[in-house]
Amino acid sequence: MSDTAETPEAQTQEAQTPQLSMQRVFLKDISFESPRSPMIFQEEWKPEVGLELNTKSRQVGESVYEVVLEITVTVKNGGETGYLVQIQQGGLFVISGLDDQQLHHALGAFCPATLFPYARENIDAIVVKGSYPAIMLAPINFDALYIESLQKQQANTETTQ
């Protein structure tokens, strides 16, 4: 007869095994503005696309984190705003077994990269509903943005010391 109960060592090892899973994706906020419609539809369309990104995260439960990817897309035509889209794409992630540095990286790069395709799809859908040509945002390297952000923080810390 074998003993199926886990030993304390096995329970500790299982508790330390890194885990990261997405529990839910949700649209927290979305806004579309087209200040020059309908006159803009009479003009030749030569869009200039501007993109701003930001992420926020917070712990909402034991090993549960909310990550929000904020994107602002400003499209100008002839120097004037054609349309503006602002979105907050959220996600709930269960994360455990990571040290502080790994957790910070997961929240700052991995989770936003997971949310980006959902945000991109929502942006495209609302732009088309505004009667503009589809906009498919290019993929974004969130790891590179995360490293750049760390380097800026480090440089700011060094200059204030």
Side-chain angles (χ1 to χ4, degrees):
M1 181 171 181
S2 67
D3 185 14
T4 58
E6 290 188 12
T7 64
E9 295 82 17
Q11 289 174 344
T12 301
Q13 184 178 2
E14 184 177 305
Q16 293 175 351
T17 302
Q19 295 181 347
L20 193 156
S21 64
M22 183 169 56
Q23 295 296 301
R24 181 174 298 255
V25 174
F26 55 94
L27 184 59
K28 193 162 181 137
D29 188 20
I30 192 164
S31 170
F32 176 82
E33 298 174 31
S34 181
R36 296 190 50 240
S37 63
M39 288 73 68
I40 195 165
F41 301 127
Q42 305 300 315
E43 300 171 2
E44 183 179 0
W45 186 243
K46 293 183 180 179
E48 303 162 24
V49 179
L51 181 71
E52 293 178 37
L53 288 171
N54 192 17
T55 61
K56 293 191 284 190
S57 61
R58 66 186 178 116
Q59 189 167 3
V60 296
E62 186 175 331
S63 301
V64 180
Y65 297 84
E66 176 192 35
V67 178
V68 178
L69 175 60
E70 298 175 340
I71 301 175
T72 301
V73 179
T74 306
V75 176
K76 294 187 176 196
N77 192 52
E80 294 193 42
T81 300
Y83 64 83
L84 174 77
V85 179
Q86 294 176 305
I87 187 170
Q88 291 183 2
Q89 187 71 57
L92 287 177
F93 296 84
V94 175
I95 305 173
S96 62
L98 301 180
D99 63 35
D100 286 346
Q101 183 179 358
Q102 292 170 327
L103 176 62
H104 196 259
H105 183 255
L107 295 171
F110 179 80
C111 295
T114 303
L115 294 172
F116 182 72
Y118 297 96
R120 182 172 59 182
E121 180 182 336
N122 284 324
I123 290 168
D124 185 59
I126 201 166
V127 165
V128 169
K129 287 178 182 179
S131 194
Y132 287 92
I135 182 170
M136 186 55 69
L137 299 175
I140 295 173
N141 185 338
F142 284 92
D143 280 325
L145 291 176
Y146 175 76
I147 291 168
E148 181 181 311
S149 173
L150 286 180
Q151 290 171 342
K152 284 181 184 177
Q153 287 176 357
Q154 187 177 25
N156 287 341
T157 302
E158 290 172 0
T159 58
T160 59
Q161 291 179 352

